[in-house]
Amino acid sequence: MVGNKAVVYVGPGEVEVRDIGFPDLVLRDGPGVNPLNVGRKCEHGVILKVVTTNICGSDQHMVRGRTTAPSGLVLGHEITGEIIEVGRDVEFLKKGDLVSVPFNIACGRCRTCKKGDTHVCLNVNPDRPGSAYGYVDMGGWVGGQSEYVMVPYADFQLLKFPDKDQAMEKIRDLTMLSDIFPTGYHGAVSAGVTTGSTVYVAGAGPVGLAAAHSAQLLGASVVIVGDLNEERLAQARSFGCETVNLSLHDNLGEQIEQILGVPEVDCAIDCVGFEAHGHGKNHTEAPATVLNSIMEVTSVGGRLGIPGLYVTGDPGAIDDDAKIGSLKIRIGLGWAKAHTFVTGQTPVMRYHYQLMKSILSGKAQIAKAVNATVISLDEAPQGYNYFDKGAARKFVLDPHGLVK
C-alpha cells in the first residue's frame, strides 16, 4: 500500500510531517472535516501526484495559532500535480495530465459558480459560501502539502498545462497559479490598476510582491511597497518597486510624497490582513492599521483591493472585538472619499488561464518576483519557521524531487 506523507498542524508554532494514508475519491472524516461533508463521494474528482505545493501566509496564520484550526489538520491549498487516477464522471482529463489546482473549491453548478464567483461556491462548504483545501472552517477538504491529494470537480476546476515538458521548465512560476499570482493580480485588478496608475501595496510578503508585479504587468507607472521588514523590501526593489520602511516612518503619506511629489496614490492594495502592525519604531499589533492607512493615502474616488485575509475567529487577537473580526475601521473616511472596497477570496479561475499564458510567453516573472525557493516536503517545518521569521522567500515544497 502506498503511503502519503503530509504536513500537519499540531498546535501553535508546530507542524509535523506525518503519513495520512493514500487518498481516495471520498471525503473521509478527519480533523476539521465538517460532519455534513463526511462520506461525500467525488467520482467527479481525480487523485494527483503532487509536483509542487507552496507554503502560504494564510497557512502561517493557522500555524501561529491565530485561527480556530484543529490539531491534526492537513495543511496546504496551493497545489500543482499530475493526474494518476480519474473518477468515473471525469470526461475531459486523463492520467498523466499536469494541472494547476485553484485553491477555491467550486462545483461549477451553483448560482455563484455560474456567475464566475467560484470563490463563494454554495455547494462545497456547509458552514458558509466558499471553500479551500487544508483550511479552517472551509468544509474540511484535505490539504495538499502532501505527496498525493484528492481534488473534486476536476473537469470544471483544473487548469491543464498544454505541454508537460515546457511546464516543468517553468514549474517555479506555474506553481504560483494555484493562489498567490491570481490573488496578487486580483488585488491589483480590484484596485483598478491600469496604464499610468500610481499604486501603493501594503505588505512585501509573497502576496504583496505578487500584487506589485501584477500592477507592473497591468501598466502602473509607479508601484510603492510598504513593509516593516527591510529584507522583504529589498526583494521588492529587486524588480523595480519603490519602497517605504514602515518600521522607520510612521507617516505613510509623507513617504509617498517624497516619491511622487504628492501624498497620495491612485489606488492601493492590502496584502497584510488581520495581523497588521502599526507604523514606527515601537510598532505593535493594530489590525485596522492597513485598512485605515490605505484610505488615507488613496485619492478621492479611488479603489482599494483587499486580498489580505481577515477572519471571523482569532483567539490570539488583541481585544475581544478583534477576536470576532470587528475592527476600528474609519469607514467615514472611505465614504467621504467615495472609495470602492473589494474584499474576499480570489476567484482563481477568473485569471489563471491568462496568467499561465503570460508565464509561458516569458512576460510574467513571478517566481523571480517572490523569490521562489524549492525545498523538500520533509523540510516543511523548517520552511514554516523561516517564513514566520520574515524570510523574503516563497517556499515551494517538492514532495517527489521532481523539480530541477
Side-chain angles (χ1 to χ4, degrees), residues 287 314 316-324 326-328:
D314 175 9
I318 60 172
D319 57 44
D320 288 341
D321 284 340
K323 286 181 179 179
I324 59 170
S326 181
L327 309 182
K328 295 181 179 179

Side-chain angles (χ1 to χ4, degrees), residues 325-389:
S326 181
L327 309 182
K328 295 181 179 179
I329 300 169
R330 293 184 63 194
I331 192 65
L333 176 61
W335 189 94
K337 297 179 78 172
H339 284 157
T340 298
F341 299 73
V342 179
T343 68
Q345 284 188 39
T346 296
V348 170
M349 293 177 66
R350 194 175 296 172
Y351 308 108
H352 64 177
Y353 178 71
Q354 304 100 296
L355 294 178
M356 176 189 72
K357 292 197 295 183
S358 187
I359 288 169
L360 294 177
S361 71
K363 179 70 172 178
Q365 302 287 329
I366 187 65
K368 179 181 177 182
V370 302
N371 195 14
T373 302
V374 179
I375 61 176
S376 70
L377 191 69
D378 289 331
E379 293 173 305
Q382 189 176 22
Y384 270 97
N385 185 44
Y386 287 151
F387 191 33
D388 189 49
K389 292 179 179 178

Side-chain angles (χ1 to χ4, degrees), residues 79-112:
I79 309 164
T80 305
E82 180 185 1
I83 297 174
I84 61 171
E85 182 180 334
V86 178
R88 177 195 62 211
D89 299 332
V90 175
E91 186 175 358
F92 303 113
L93 296 166
K94 64 182 185 301
K95 291 181 182 180
D97 286 344
L98 186 62
V99 296
S100 177
V101 183
F103 81 89
N104 325 108
I105 301 170
C107 71
R109 305 162 187 179
C110 69
R111 171 175 53 84
T112 56

Side-chain angles (χ1 to χ4, degrees), residues 1-5 20-26 28 46-50 84-85 142-143 146-151:
M1 185 66 180
V2 177
N4 184 23
K5 292 195 298 183
I20 63 168
F22 195 79
D24 58 13
L25 296 173
V26 178
R28 306 291 184 185
V46 297
I47 306 297
L48 297 184
K49 179 179 181 179
V50 177
I84 61 171
E85 182 180 334
V142 179
S146 56
E147 294 176 302
Y148 303 93
V149 67
M150 187 269 283
V151 174

